[in-house]
Amino acid sequence: MILTFFKRITAVIIYCLAMLPLASMAKDINISNGKIVMSLNYGVKASITSLTVNGQKVISSSDGIFTSVSIGGKTYSSLNLKSPASFSRTGNIIKIANIRYGDKSITINENWIFTITNENIKWAIERSTSKPLTVDESAAPVFNFDSFNTWEGAYQGYGGLAWFYLFNEKLCTYGVHTRSSDFWNSKTNNGLNITVNAPGKNVAMKYTRTGDDRLAYTISVSNKEMVPKMDTGTNRRRFIRGRTDVWAPFNLPAGTTTQNITFSYFNFKDKYGRGDFKGIDGDKVSGVLNTIARIGVIDSLHFGGNSWHTPYGPICLHEQYIAQMGLGINDPKYLMGDKSCLDFYRDHAIKPDGRVYPRWAYTNEDAMPGKFNGDGFYEAQWGILMDSNPDLVTNIAELYDMNGDTRWVKTHQLSCEKALDWILARDSNGNGLVEMMSDNTAEKRSSDWIDIIWASYENAFVNAKLYHALVKWSDIERQLGNTTKANYYAGFAAKLKTSFNKSTKDGGFWDAEKGCYVYWIDKDKTIHGRNLVTPVNFMAIAYGICDDDARKKIILDNIETQMQKENLFFWPLAMSTYAKEEGKEYQFPFPYYENGDLFLSWGSVAVKAYAEYNPAIAVKYVKNVLAQYGKDGLAFQRYSRLKQDGQGDDILSGNSLAIVGLYQAIYGINPSYNRFYLDPHITPELAGTTLNYNYRNKKLSIGLDNNSYSVADKMFKVVAGKSFGFNTTSNQLSYFNGNSAAVAMQASTTQHLTITIRNWDAGKMEWQQSAAGPVSYVLHQLKANAVYLLALDGQPLKKVKSDLRGELIVDCGKAVGKVTVER
């Protein structure tokens, strides 16, 4: 025993003496481009031990950034090399070679090459293995940020968000498929973009709150797409608790692979700042749209309203506002990501007969038995939720308005027709109102988003959504040249609207006694949902079904009276109780859950409903939502009516929709397929607001003042006292009068130009120009072959005549101020 002891001691001493020369070889190399500074340690290990971003140290540890592989429960990494790595430098290129780690049977060999430029630092990782490996995890590399609070979140390359506010305990881990991550902190304004370029490979990233409260960020590159490890049989769960192994083991082939990682600094305010807000808390507006609005994006092909943090991770395809949220989020990556997502839904969520699955989730626990497919889409346990069919169409149509991509929307033409035709076939009595799968409330089956209220047969909620989809899609059919389908959908919408607005006595939804539209009517003509269900009534107004001003006033005034009486900060799902037989038992007594609690996901239609009638009311509730965000981040499913406190772990990105409504209905931002349409309804306190807005690879500046609104890019600016459309190319400005989709005037110039519209109607068109050079105008939509009087700066110049197309050319020098064309 004594001899054995001394042998062990001797071996340890010999090992330590052998390591002394290696330890003395460890060196630090400074890599910097000014904004990003890193210290690279090499020798017996290879790691980045320090990372500073714009003067803020974000990593300072020996295991700051390194590479590794885990096999069979054992981890091999660049922190423990088989032999010393070597260093070389040529100009702005630094190379650490022969980074070898593993054991007797496994060797990973890497070369790290850093290229330094003023804009960024690029890190190429060349990795070689002599034989194929099945790995539990590959980190290439892993970043260990000093504190979990270093960054507030990381925007993903497809527009989603890893929001660290939701990592509310240690060992929370979130995995996604993306090649880019924008880490940001709104307090320091520091941002770090990390982008991976690995041609022909798949890239996945994961974010972990570590056991010692650091933030671990891991990049994995693989031949095939990484598959989630949880849950057995479904393998779709992206967010896990109490563990870090979010990805299933995968194969690492033999040979050499190369990936390039680019580090670049950005100023958060410059990149994601939204402008100068007046009369409202702009920081909170930005906060809501930069965080809670994005958390329904679970992964690159899975966009919805329920967050990735939700225990079973559902996506509701029966939510018409997912694309609309992109209007407020205003990140081109979100729009591109949603485009890919909708392509995925087209190919995987529509049944051959046109039925659209209403949901997707991590697991099948919410599904009807056997009513799901291998991609995770399913029919919900509560009933056939019919609104998924029109809502998929609406999301495609509204994304098209934002991206203007006609080729893309055409790839959805047949699938949208199939989805619409499936639900339109449900109008068995020909009255324009489609019918649900259940005939009567007593069946206790739901049919829409309000999924434990037993709406049946003719459902106003679903029909309102369908009307909205039909109006939008009929216009797209016309653009795509299918006038037959366009007329069919428009005609059905018109019939639906007529029947919807009939009194309940005549088979419609208007309840004159209650002063609202009812929710549904059973097949036996029994009327249900007379308790002023707010989404039904808000949609009727916001979508243009109700165009009776007297009815609008009754509905909106009655809601506001009750809101003031109860001092509620947001509109509830229903103003009073359902009858007990109309919903699932545990929602009674009133108010509870869908029977009267506050669901913020209906904020955009509510704001739009009030915007034209009384925008001050809409702004009041927008401010209330912002105040609530300041208290709790809106990180809940709903708010109780009794205490107005957050309820439910099913966090909804729809909690942002009142702020999206602020952008769309109050500020009036409405991108359309061929123009940027501005239709403000601001209150006096909002006057002076200036917004920055991304619009199809351009930065627009939007000015909102009392009866004076403007849109400008780097070259052109239009100012008007009412709504208008704006579009530009390199040397041409297009002005659209009011909400018309047809161009009213085009101005061509190579210099800066501002035009202020003074008057625009059939008899007189007048504008003020401020030009840096000569301008050629083409006026459109005039009377053909008609004579007009042209006046410059108030002085009649000559008579001019429009051509056969109703167009007229007016050329002006830069010295000209006012231009008038009058019949």
Side-chain angles (χ1 to χ4, degrees), residues 444-464:
K444 295 186 176 183
R445 305 299 289 164
S446 61
S447 56
D448 61 50
W449 188 92
I450 309 176
D451 58 5
I452 51 174
I453 296 296
W454 313 134
S456 67
Y457 203 61
E458 291 179 339
N459 176 335
F461 184 100
V462 172
N463 276 280

Side-chain angles (χ1 to χ4, degrees), residues 748 767 769 774-779 790 792 797-798 808-814 816 819:
S748 298
W767 66 95
Q769 76 164 26
V775 187
S776 179
Y777 296 96
V778 179
L779 278 65
L790 172 64
L792 301 180
L797 181 64
K798 61 181 178 179
L808 180 66
I809 298 175
V810 177
D811 292 318
C812 295
K814 70 176 183 179
V816 173
V819 183

